[in-house]
């Protein structure tokens, strides 16, 4: 094990709060990041010898602020770091600063930091890349691997994103309640997008992209600690934990997709399920229903079923009906149709999805489900057409292979 | 004497551990636990879910009030606990030093002598 492991982990943990405070202080993302990097270098020198400070984030903010001031003053980055004895009185200062940090202030700091990553001028992939780099502190190389692009291209993407938000006016005053709610919603959407980047990866990319799911869950927990009574944030965290609990069962040894009902439920991560269910329980107490909570409730019904045949499909159909009322979309209706097929049979489900044909003309899952329903109804020729369309629209080799296996079964049945 | 060892650490730091690091720490801690178990000194061991999964009931004038989150916002969170049998505080300190060496870096262990303990019947 890396001897310095704990220092690295302490720096990662302190990063959001420290960078967010330095951003408020310098009002410039690049300066804030540089100041934080400087402080990290100091920490790597001093913490292994002196042990961790009582409040690592406060230590880093203080040191980063001083370094940043020096940097601004000299406008030079070639200066050596100041001598260790200059930090000798840090203990008291750190304690005083920690007291001041214990207010509402740092909540809004971190929310602001996350929110600028969600700037509406930025395309979603840039939002995610920026959050991974600035808030999570992932090395550019790892982000590049996760997005299947070269490191230079990713570096450029992040630089462009920063330039764009640098040109936008950032509000540094304390947000009002409605503005805070808007920011929270934007940040939650970005976090779920980040999660899906990792979740939608095939088995072959799981190593590079799987960490995106972990980062998304970490960010959701961070948000929850700042806003502990927000049921939709609880729902978001629960949804991701419950979906991620199945990570080891979703692909077989050859990297082929294993459908939910065929998965080995013994390989689902029980700790993640326990945490997801606990968060959902907490959220539902608030009686303020929202899309993340409803989707988490669906995931919870799957997690609670010991065997596939124990799944409460009528309840799942109802939940998707509820989701249609708060967040109507053809994809939600498609999901409800899956549950309806289980409850009322394929004919009812097929009738439900026919009106979606136009809206979902380019959607892999629409044709996958349509083919499967037609197959159930013995309409093999039409099923084959739908499956072929699905293969053409598949987003990954695993998706295409999965449908091909359906087709093979269809051929064999004839 | 029975002692409770309350394990505090930064939830964020522990949450950022890689699987390898996590497994490594658990293996090292298991060595300490096994020694205690062999000596018949190891009681229940619990690891808690993150504080974000916590709910707090505050006793108030108008009856119990349910609040989301942990009882207190602290820099380091209560992540788990042990109950161990020790002949003296020195023995407890020696044991907890072993735990600290197995999992170095940030965090603290609070050692609290136990005044009453009922084993109960629950085994998860």
């Amino acid at each position: 094990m890396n001897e310095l492991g704990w220092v690295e982990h302490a720096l990662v943990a302190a990063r959001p709060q420290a960078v967010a405070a330095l951003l408020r202080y310098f009002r410039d993302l690049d300066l804030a990041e540089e100041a934080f990097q400087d402080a990290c270098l100091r920490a790597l020198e001093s913490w292994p010898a002196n042990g961790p400070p009582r409040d690592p984030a406060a230590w880093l903010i203080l040191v980063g602020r001083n370094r940043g001031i020096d940097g601004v003053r000299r406008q030079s980055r070639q200066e050596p770091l100041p001598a260790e004895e200059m930090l000798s009185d840090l203990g008291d200062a750190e304690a005083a600063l920690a007291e001041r940090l214990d207010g509402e202030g740092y909540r809004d700091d971190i929310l602001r930091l996350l929110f600028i990553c969600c700037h509406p001028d930025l395309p979603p992939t840039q939002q995610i890349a920026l959050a991974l780099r600035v808030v999570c502190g992932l090395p550019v190389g790892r982000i590049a691997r996760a997005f299947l692009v070269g490191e230079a291209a990713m570096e450029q993407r992040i630089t462009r994103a920063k330039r764009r938000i640098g040109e936008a006016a950032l509000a540094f005053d304390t947000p009002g309640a409605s503005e805070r709610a808007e920011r929270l919603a934007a940040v939650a959407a970005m976090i779920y997008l980040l999660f899906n980047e990792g979740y939608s990866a095939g088995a072959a990319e799981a190593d590079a992209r799987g960490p995106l799911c972990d980062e998304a869950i970490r960010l959701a927990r961070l948000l929850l600690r700042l806003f502990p009574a927000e049921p939709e944030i609880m729902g978001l965290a629960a949804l991701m934990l419950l979906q991620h609990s199945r990570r080891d069962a979703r692909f077989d040894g050859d990297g082929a997709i294993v459908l939910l009902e065929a998965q080995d439920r013994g390989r689902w991560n029980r700790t993640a399920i326990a945490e997801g269910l606990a968060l959902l329980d907490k959220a539902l107490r608030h009686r303020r229903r929202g899309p993340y909570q409803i989707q988490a409730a669906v995931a919870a019904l799957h997690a609670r079923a010991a065997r596939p045949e124990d799944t409460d499909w009528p309840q799942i159909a109802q939940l998707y009906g509820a989701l249609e009322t708060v967040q109507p979309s053809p994809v939600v209706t498609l999901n409800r149709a899956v549950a309806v097929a289980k409850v009322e049979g394929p004919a009812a489900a097929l009738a439900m999805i026919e009106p979606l044909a136009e809206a979902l003309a380019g959607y892999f899952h629409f044709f996958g489900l349509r083919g499967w329903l037609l197959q159930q109804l013995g309409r093999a020729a039409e099923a084959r057409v739908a499956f072929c369309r699905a293969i053409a629209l598949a987003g990954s080799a695993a998706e295409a292979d999965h449908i091909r296996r359906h087709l093979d079964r269809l051929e064999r049945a004839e | 004497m029975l002692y409770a060892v309350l394990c505090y650490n930064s939830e964020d730091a522990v949450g950022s551990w890689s699987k390898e690091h996590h497994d490594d720490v658990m293996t090292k801690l298991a060595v300490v636990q096994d020694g205690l178990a062999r000596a018949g000194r190891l009681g229940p061991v619990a690891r808690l879910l993150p504080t974000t999964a916590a709910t707090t009931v505050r006793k108030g004038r108008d009856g119990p009030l349910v609040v989301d989150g942990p009882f207190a916002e602290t820099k380091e969170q209560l992540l788990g606990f042990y109950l161990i049998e020790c002949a003296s505080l020195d023995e407890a300190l020696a044991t907890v030093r072993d735990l600290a060496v197995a999992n170095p870096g940030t965090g603290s262990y609070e050692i609290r002598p136990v005044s009453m303990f009922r084993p109960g019947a629950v085994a998860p």
Side-chain angles (χ1 to χ4, degrees), chain B residues 6-116:
Chain B
L6 310 178
C7 315
Y8 287 88
N9 204 343
S10 156
E11 209 163 59
D12 281 337
V14 174
S16 72
W17 286 2
S18 65
K19 190 176 178 321
E20 293 72 28
H21 184 87
H22 175 273
D23 294 348
D24 185 66
V25 169
M26 291 305 143
T27 307
K28 289 189 170 123
L29 287 172
V31 173
V32 182
Q33 292 167 19
D34 290 347
L36 290 166
R38 272 196 305 275
R41 294 173 44 211
L42 185 67
V45 178
R47 187 167 171 187
L48 307 177
L49 283 173
T51 57
T52 41
T55 310
T56 301
V57 176
R58 284 193 188 287
K59 291 183 273 189
R61 220 183 31 196
D62 307 325
L65 176 72
V66 180
V67 186
D68 289 299
F71 159 66
E73 266 306 325
T74 47
K75 297 284 168 224
E76 292 177 333
Q77 293 77 29
L78 176 65
L79 304 189
F81 58 84
Y82 297 83
L83 276 181
I84 55 175
E85 179 67 48
C86 303
S88 64
L89 175 61
D90 280 345
E91 188 173 37
L93 284 167
T95 301
V96 170
R97 276 198 200 96
D98 290 343
L99 291 171
V101 169
N103 182 11
T106 53
S108 319
Y109 295 101
E110 182 182 331
I111 301 169
R112 287 272 286 278
V114 173
S115 86
M116 191 273 291

Side-chain angles (χ1 to χ4, degrees), chain A residues 229 231-232 234 280-290 293, chain B residues 68:
Chain A
E232 271 297 85
M234 295 176 204
L280 182 62
D281 280 348
K282 283 176 59 169
L284 297 178
R285 279 193 54 259
H286 287 264
R287 307 209 178 289
R288 286 192 356 235
R289 206 160 65 174
Q293 290 171 80
Chain B
D68 289 299

Side-chain angles (χ1 to χ4, degrees), chain A residues 141-198:
Chain A
R142 272 187 59 199
I143 304 173
R145 270 203 305 283
F147 281 90
L148 317 173
V149 298
E151 194 163 338
M154 183 49 75
E155 188 75 67
Q156 220 172 28
R157 191 182 291 184
I158 292 171
T159 307
R160 265 204 309 272
K162 278 187 186 166
R163 194 177 317 127
R164 213 167 223 176
I165 54 175
E167 290 157 4
L170 267 181
F172 280 93
D173 44 350
T174 304
S178 68
E179 194 184 355
R180 194 178 281 143
E182 268 169 41
R183 289 183 178 193
L184 255 178
V187 169
M190 184 269 288
I191 291 175
Y192 194 43
L193 206 61
L194 166 62
F195 179 83
N196 278 312
E197 283 288 331

Side-chain angles (χ1 to χ4, degrees), chain A residues 244-257:
Chain A
H244 201 43
S245 73
R246 303 197 287 260
R247 62 186 168 274
D248 294 337
R250 293 175 58 222
F251 300 101
D252 68 12
D254 303 328
I257 294 173

Side-chain angles (χ1 to χ4, degrees), chain A residues 6 29 38 60 63-64 71-72 77 113 123 132 139 144 170 204 207 209 214 239-240 344 359 384:
Chain A
W6 67 265
L29 191 54
D38 273 349
L60 291 163
V63 172
V72 172
R77 292 171 208 159
L113 179 67
L132 285 171
L170 267 181
D207 278 350
R209 294 167 71 89
D214 296 321
L239 172 62
M240 296 191 298
E344 298 173 35
R384 188 175 304 116

